[in-house]
Amino acid sequence: MALYFSSNQFDELSEYDFRERQEIIAIASTQLTPVQKVSLNICKLAVLIPPFFMLAKVDSWMFLLPLVIVLVGYFIVLRPLSLLFIKKHLAKAIEKFEKRKDNS
């Protein structure tokens, strides 16, 4: 199982530019099942809530620590996790994108 940190890493999306890749990923994310969406959102909450509780308790320059934790958590945990969920739906999303592109 490969970890994807960016849409550039998907072989299926290599021929598309950034905007098109983002559009395809948006289409794929709409195809997630409700169970997948809930699981992904619970993971997001598990990563994001603790640093914000830390942020609420700190009143000095140490407030930067929770912000760094949120950023690292997003790029190291949440982004690859959401791309992992979306990977299964890429083929259908590309088909839908190509149909839209041909119709316009």
Side-chain angles (χ1 to χ4, degrees), residues 33-48:
T33 65
V35 173
Q36 290 173 323
K37 288 180 184 179
V38 168
S39 300
L40 191 55
N41 286 332
I42 287 173
C43 291
K44 287 179 184 179
L45 288 174
V47 170
L48 294 177

Side-chain angles (χ1 to χ4, degrees), residues 9-14 24 28 31 33 38 40 44-45 48 59 61 63 66 77-78 87-88 94-95 98 103:
Q9 294 175 304
F10 289 117
D11 293 334
E12 300 94 331
L13 300 178
S14 62
I24 291 169
Q31 296 175 352
T33 65
V38 168
L40 191 55
K44 287 179 184 179
L45 288 174
L48 294 177
D59 61 350
W61 65 271
F63 75 92
V77 177
L78 297 179
K87 171 90 170 122
K88 300 172 188 172
I94 290 171
E95 286 177 24
E98 290 297 331
N103 290 338

Side-chain angles (χ1 to χ4, degrees), residues 53-86:
F53 278 130
M54 287 174 54
L55 186 61
K57 292 182 180 184
V58 175
D59 61 350
S60 66
W61 65 271
M62 290 291 291
F63 75 92
L64 291 174
L65 181 64
L67 294 177
V68 169
I69 292 171
V70 167
L71 288 174
V72 168
Y74 178 78
F75 289 111
I76 300 296
V77 177
L78 297 179
R79 182 69 176 165
L81 190 62
S82 59
L83 290 175
L84 181 67
F85 277 89
I86 288 170

